[in-house]
Amino acid sequence: MQQQNDICSTLEAKLEMAEKALFHCESNLRLTIQIWIGAFENVEPLLAKRADNSAEIARLIQQLREQAESEKEKELLEAASPRWSFSENFGELLRQIVDGQACAESGEETANVMLPLLVDHASWKAFVEFLRAEVKHAERSEESSERMIGRARELVRQNQVLKSVVAERKRLQERLSQLTSIIECSNDAIVVYTLGGTIVSWNAGAKNLYGYSASEVLGRSRYMLAAPEQRDEIAEISEKLKRQEKIPLCEATHLRKGGKRMRVCMSLSPVKEVNGEVVGCVAIVREISGWKEPVGSSKKHDKESV
């Protein structure tokens, strides 16, 4: 009987610490929202209070870590711990918002600040509920207790998967931003087509080469860029891209705005969805310097295209 009372007392003590940590997590969540909304007001007291809460959360989790009775409980505790709430990176991101280095109206920054915090909060709530169930059913069998730990671990795992998705989203946004910068600063024309040949992306290099602005070409067919006598290879190229075959460098005669002809060299690569399905192609186009249109060829082609 005494042993059972000791077990209950230990569980209740751990639950009390976990609930205190949850209280400070909820407080930090409120403070973060207040800091976010009032980023241009005096938020120093809020930041200081948040830092104190974070220190207390870390202290309580360390105590729980020391009192964990099994490896499975330790693993669950580590998985559920709200690290984002007291990480230096999070505090620095908030500081950047307060100092005006990050745009508080940006959807991307909102996701970076709030979503990991919300997921961490949900994971810790799951751990607290696990401890409450342990206290309530202290006399349950070891097998039953393991099943309960398993369900709690699965809930926490799903929250961690969501947090990983958020982190991956941030990495993808950073990568896309870098790629967009590279594409826009490229001297080459970079054009993205659907498999049917519709123009869906048009960089500054393409504007310089062809003379068309993006608003003049987006949504139109690639045929507007090709010389009229040129053999249509879009269907053949689309099939090769679907089969993920390598497309060799090719030359073609294209038209600038106003009808002036030029010889270009093109590199074609597939554009894929997340699931790997090919949905289009990207063409990197460069004019072949020194090429001159044969005398009379323009008139000849004009007659043939009438």
Side-chain angles (χ1 to χ4, degrees):
M1 185 67 179
Q2 182 60 41
Q3 183 181 8
Q4 188 64 38
N5 289 336
D6 290 342
I7 292 173
C8 289
S9 297
T10 300
L11 289 173
E12 288 171 355
K14 288 194 290 187
L15 175 59
E16 184 178 356
M17 285 187 287
E19 288 178 331
K20 285 181 180 178
L22 180 62
F23 171 80
H24 291 300
C25 285
E26 290 172 342
S27 176
N28 270 358
L29 187 58
R30 290 194 301 272
L31 288 168
T32 301
I33 294 172
Q34 291 170 4
I35 291 168
W36 180 270
I37 294 174
F40 303 104
E41 303 293 337
N42 180 20
V43 295
E44 292 303 326
L46 301 181
L47 286 168
K49 177 60 177 173
R50 197 185 180 289
D52 290 342
N53 285 341
S54 297
E56 184 63 12
I57 293 169
R59 186 187 68 80
L60 289 166
I61 288 176
Q62 180 57 35
Q63 285 187 331
L64 285 166
R65 189 178 290 117
E66 292 169 357
Q67 296 183 26
E69 296 179 356
S70 67
E71 286 302 317
K72 289 185 177 180
E73 185 179 332
K74 289 178 182 178
E75 290 173 4
L76 181 60
L77 173 62
E78 292 303 321
S81 294
R83 295 181 181 85
W84 187 245
S85 179
F86 51 82
S87 71
E88 292 182 5
N89 290 340
F90 187 83
E92 178 59 26
L93 185 54
L94 278 179
R95 171 58 61 190
Q96 289 176 7
I97 292 170
V98 171
D99 292 343
Q101 298 173 23
C103 177
E105 297 179 359
S106 166
E108 177 182 345
E109 290 302 332
T110 303
N112 293 341
V113 169
M114 296 304 302
L115 285 181
L117 189 60
L118 290 169
V119 173
D120 264 357
H121 189 62
S123 294
W124 190 248
K125 270 190 171 182
F127 182 74
V128 171
E129 289 302 324
F130 160 72
L131 290 179
R132 284 174 180 161
E134 285 269 87
V135 171
K136 185 177 180 181
H137 305 285
E139 297 180 0
R140 69 171 62 234
S141 66
E142 183 177 344
E143 180 182 351
S144 178
S145 180
E146 286 193 5
R147 283 201 304 269
M148 189 170 64
I149 289 177
R151 288 194 293 269
R153 186 190 294 116
E154 179 59 24
L155 180 57
V156 170
R157 189 185 73 80
Q158 292 299 330
N159 282 330
Q160 297 307 309
V161 168
L162 180 56
K163 190 158 65 172
S164 296
V165 170
V166 173
E168 182 62 23
R169 176 180 178 272
K170 183 175 184 295
R171 285 192 292 269
L172 284 173
Q173 287 173 332
E174 291 172 350
R175 186 179 178 189
L176 285 173
S177 177
Q178 293 168 354
L179 289 174
T180 299
S181 178
I182 291 170
I183 289 171
E184 284 305 310
C185 294
S186 174
N187 290 324
D188 293 329
I190 301 178
V191 186
V192 179
Y193 306 100
T194 65
L195 291 177
T198 300
I199 301 170
V200 293
S201 181
W202 187 263
N203 76 333
K207 178 182 178 181
N208 294 335
L209 180 62
Y210 292 100
Y212 293 101
S213 66
S215 61
E216 292 177 292
V217 298
L218 293 180
R220 298 182 63 183
S221 171
R222 62 177 288 277
Y223 296 125
M224 67 178 290
L225 305 176
E229 78 284 355
Q230 196 157 273
R231 186 168 70 91
D232 179 25
E233 298 180 343
I234 188 66
E236 180 183 347
I237 290 173
S238 295
E239 289 304 315
K240 287 183 177 180
L241 289 171
K242 287 178 183 178
R243 295 193 297 268
Q244 301 195 31
E245 295 181 14
K246 188 174 181 179
I247 308 296
L249 286 171
C250 57
E251 293 186 8
T253 302
H254 281 188
L255 303 176
R256 287 192 175 93
K257 184 176 182 179
K260 185 175 180 181
R261 301 158 69 88
M262 60 180 169
R263 196 67 178 168
V264 298
C265 176
M266 292 191 298
S267 171
L268 299 171
S269 302
V271 174
K272 300 179 182 179
E273 289 278 22
V274 175
N275 61 8
E277 180 185 1
V278 177
V279 294
C281 71
V282 56
I284 300 177
V285 188
R286 180 178 296 179
E287 183 178 10
I288 299 174
S289 59
W291 180 81
K292 291 184 179 181
E293 183 179 3
V295 177
S297 62
S298 180
K299 293 182 179 179
K300 177 182 177 183
H301 295 314
D302 286 344
K303 290 178 181 178
E304 288 176 353
S305 61
V306 171

